Amino acid sequence: MRQYLNENGFLDIETPFLTRSTPEGARDYLVPSRANPGQFYALPQSPQLFKQLLMIAGFDRYYQIVRCFRDEDLRADRQPEFTQIDLEMSFVTEDDVMAVAEGMMARIFDQVQGCSLALPFPRLTYAEAMDRFGLDKPDTRFGLELKDVSDIMKTSGFKVFAEAVAKGGIVKALNAKGCIDFTRKEIDDLAALVSVYRAKGLAWIKVREDQWQSPIAKFFSEAEKAELTRRLEMQPGDLVFFVADSARIVNDALGNLRNHLGDRLGLVDDAAFNFLWVTEFPMFEYDETEKRYQALHHPFTAPLEADLDKLEADPLGLRSRAYDLVLNGSEVGGGSIRIHQRDVQERVFKALGMAPESYEEKFGFMLSALDSGAPPHGGIAFGFDRLTMILCGQPSIRDVIAFPKTQKAACLLTNAPSEAAQAQLDELSIRVRRLAPES
RNA sequence: GGGGGCGUAGCUCAGUUUGGUUAGAGCGCCGGCCUGUCACGCCGGAGGUCGCGAGUUCGAGUCUCGUCGCUCCCGCCA
């Protein structure tokens, strides 16, 4: 990686770990400042602003293999401290960043796996990924694609489907080819699986030679059946699943069901490395709890030029110049072309519900840097641990991290975290509140 | 914050459903044999508070309750 990046004119530059907390994004790890009682540093979630400032300062190709910190709950592929291969380039477009990323992946896979990757990697827009796979990180090692059947179902006699469409939701289907022998219990178990993603049910049709065996088939007209058969390519022996709800729930449920079935039916080639770019992510999503828009990627991502007028008019319809690198259904990298104009950056902050005083206080240094003639720039960061995990064929990120944290973010070796001595706390002007033993 | 799984020898695990004498296997370890295959073979051996604590029972690895830990998932992860 270093060789590749050095050869391509990238300069390795370190950025601070003791930095300031930023409002957007994951929960920060805070570090108390002894010299400034009552004040705290935050460990960086990524060197995002620093690398942008480096671009503005004239370093046109930067990289860093850097530890990042996010205080969120752990998963099989998530540690609270993790390593990114972080890079940024000036005067570039998506294509330039992707080409560098592809070249680096090709080098890594050639040297580590001895396999040559086909370049360039396929690209899929976010909209198409969601439509066909239900997830923004589709595993393209197998088929089983989802099909939207909302238009057929909106007038059907099956009220659950028709009403879901009437309320602005969708109905999608997944044809599990040849799975007609699934037992009632197995189907019930799959229904339980999708209920985790808030799907209220899992409808199904077993396609027999002469008829459909299904709790819902009786609600469909002959015309509807014919159209379903055509669109879902239904053949005798097939088992077709349906979920109706909001688009978010339907995609989440069927997308995860698809991955489950792909694995269970042995459709996944373990030796394959399927890379895929997902592009044109939405700029914002709506946070129901906080009642405001949130950046899907981060607030410094440039909106798609063609959508710029939606920034105020239709924030949810606004697409961004963000891209993710997906490998075998796992997000292994993500980046974007950044905002390099102050007025656009301010409009984005405002769309996020931040008042000028607020963003001036938190990001004033960034805004004034943009004022000083920022070049168009963009970059990407790869999850090094996650990439290594996949390269090693391991199911857990802990398998490739020395001294990993447990799921409760503890280190069993050193017994960290631990209580601090009173003298240390005194120096830091920190008073610890004891939790009540029972509550 | 919520739901599930697991905790038995140094390691990986079986045994728990239907409670019953000395709790098993593979690998590893120790000793011996073999000795032109010191990552082979043969023989023998050491090694376990069955996570912890209560309870039920004549009797608990097995059942009940509690507790601790690990783990997977949902939420969360700009």
Side-chain angles (χ1 to χ4, degrees):
Chain A
M1 290 166 351
R2 289 186 187 280
Q3 276 172 15
Y4 175 84
L5 292 167
N6 291 339
E7 287 166 17
N8 283 276
F10 286 82
L11 200 57
D12 182 357
I13 303 176
E14 292 192 333
T15 52
F17 277 179
L18 296 176
T19 178
R20 72 164 291 161
S21 180
T22 51
E24 296 286 315
R27 196 176 293 113
D28 286 317
Y29 275 101
L30 292 179
V31 179
S33 167
R34 179 186 53 79
N36 303 276
Q39 300 193 340
F40 298 82
Y41 304 96
L43 301 178
Q45 299 178 20
S46 85
Q48 184 59 36
L49 289 173
F50 293 115
K51 69 175 176 177
Q52 289 190 237
L53 290 168
L54 287 170
M55 292 304 106
I56 296 167
F59 296 92
D60 63 331
R61 288 191 163 205
Y62 140 96
Y63 85 95
Q64 185 179 192
I65 297 174
V66 61
R67 204 57 85 93
C68 302
F69 307 86
R70 296 178 190 176
D71 186 7
E72 297 294 346
D73 284 344
L74 290 80
R75 285 286 189 283
D77 62 354
R78 244 161 55 191
Q79 282 271 303
E81 52 180 325
F82 60 99
T83 303
Q84 283 190 345
I85 308 160
D86 189 47
L87 58 93
E88 194 80 3
M89 307 154 72
S90 290
F91 301 104
V92 290
T93 64
E94 288 87 336
D95 289 348
D96 301 308
V97 177
M98 289 179 181
V100 165
E102 287 169 352
M104 190 172 80
M105 288 301 138
R107 175 77 71 89
I108 292 172
F109 277 71
D110 175 50
Q111 298 205 342
V112 177
Q113 283 287 334
C115 71
S116 67
L117 301 175
L119 301 185
F121 299 148
R123 297 186 195 181
L124 220 52
T125 64
Y126 173 88
E128 189 178 357
M130 294 306 284
D131 180 51
R132 289 171 54 192
F133 303 99
L135 303 173
D136 63 2
K137 45 179 183 175
D139 189 339
T140 52
R141 288 176 296 177
F142 61 97
L144 287 185
E145 295 191 15
L146 314 185
K147 294 276 194 278
D148 194 320
V149 293
S150 306
D151 56 321
I152 309 175
M153 292 306 172
K154 70 182 174 197
T155 55
S156 92
F158 187 40
K159 280 209 175 119
V160 174
F161 284 4
E163 283 173 5
V165 178
K167 280 190 287 190
I170 59 172
V171 184
K172 281 173 105 168
L174 166 60
N175 185 350
K177 305 292 291 182
C179 289
I180 197 165
D181 291 331
F182 274 37
T183 63
R184 184 56 194 263
K185 174 167 168 29
E186 286 173 318
I187 293 174
D188 285 347
D189 287 345
L190 294 177
L193 183 112
V194 298
S195 76
V196 166
Y197 304 98
R198 312 213 150 23
K200 293 183 203 67
L202 181 66
W204 53 273
I205 296 171
K206 283 183 175 178
V207 186
R208 303 263 176 221
E209 289 289 349
D210 48 344
Q211 57 166 346
W212 286 0
Q213 178 188 348
S214 164
I216 59 167
K218 61 188 170 211
F219 296 109
F220 301 142
S221 69
E222 288 308 315
E224 287 163 352
K225 286 185 179 179
E227 183 57 19
L228 282 178
T229 302
R230 194 191 61 79
R231 186 167 311 171
L232 301 175
E233 297 169 19
M234 290 161 71
Q235 295 173 314
D238 290 353
L239 172 57
V240 183
F241 294 106
F242 298 84
V243 173
D245 212 303
S246 66
R248 185 179 135 67
I249 290 176
V250 169
N251 283 325
D252 211 17
L254 284 178
N256 284 103
L257 176 64
R258 174 179 173 273
N259 280 352
H260 175 84
L261 288 174
D263 182 46
R264 170 164 165 182
L265 299 174
L267 304 176
V268 179
D269 176 3
D270 290 329
F273 293 107
N274 276 30
F275 280 94
L276 172 74
W277 290 108
V278 178
T279 64
E280 294 179 18
F281 275 77
M283 188 76 183
F284 304 113
E285 61 187 345
Y286 192 70
D287 186 318
E288 286 295 342
T289 32
E290 296 202 19
K291 301 291 178 206
R292 67 176 187 90
Y293 295 107
Q294 286 203 331
L296 202 73
H297 195 59
H298 58 56
F300 316 103
T301 297
L304 210 62
E305 204 73 29
D307 287 5
L308 209 49
D309 53 349
K310 292 183 182 169
L311 222 170
E312 289 80 15
D314 176 22
L316 289 180
L318 177 64
R319 289 167 298 171
S320 74
R321 298 179 69 181
Y323 33 82
D324 274 1
L325 181 62
V326 176
L327 169 57
N328 293 353
S330 202
E331 179 200 330
V332 294
S336 63
I337 301 302
R338 327 296 184 187
I339 296 169
H340 68 283
Q341 294 155 309
R342 180 182 179 124
D343 65 308
V344 177
Q345 186 65 71
E346 289 196 58
R347 286 169 68 190
V348 169
F349 284 148
K350 282 175 187 159
L352 290 169
M354 296 170 71
E357 313 80 67
S358 169
Y359 62 67
E360 275 295 345
E361 194 257 323
K362 285 154 185 152
F363 299 114
F365 65 97
M366 190 66 209
L367 291 170
S368 64
L370 291 178
D371 267 342
S372 61
H377 61 289
I380 188 167
F382 304 94
F384 180 69
D385 321 77
R386 205 176 276 180
L387 188 62
T388 304
M389 172 180 100
I390 296 172
L391 267 171
C392 295
Q394 295 298 317
S396 169
I397 199 167
R398 294 179 188 82
D399 295 335
V400 297
I401 292 177
F403 312 113
K405 299 281 189 289
T406 69
Q407 197 169 35
K408 283 178 75 177
C411 173
L412 294 180
L413 184 74
T414 60
N415 282 323
S418 60
E419 293 186 354
Q422 190 58 48
Q424 286 181 302
L425 294 175
D426 289 346
E427 273 190 328
L428 297 169
S429 307
I430 288 180
R431 188 164 62 217
V432 175
R433 185 181 59 192
R434 300 283 160 192
L435 295 175
E438 283 297 312
S439 60

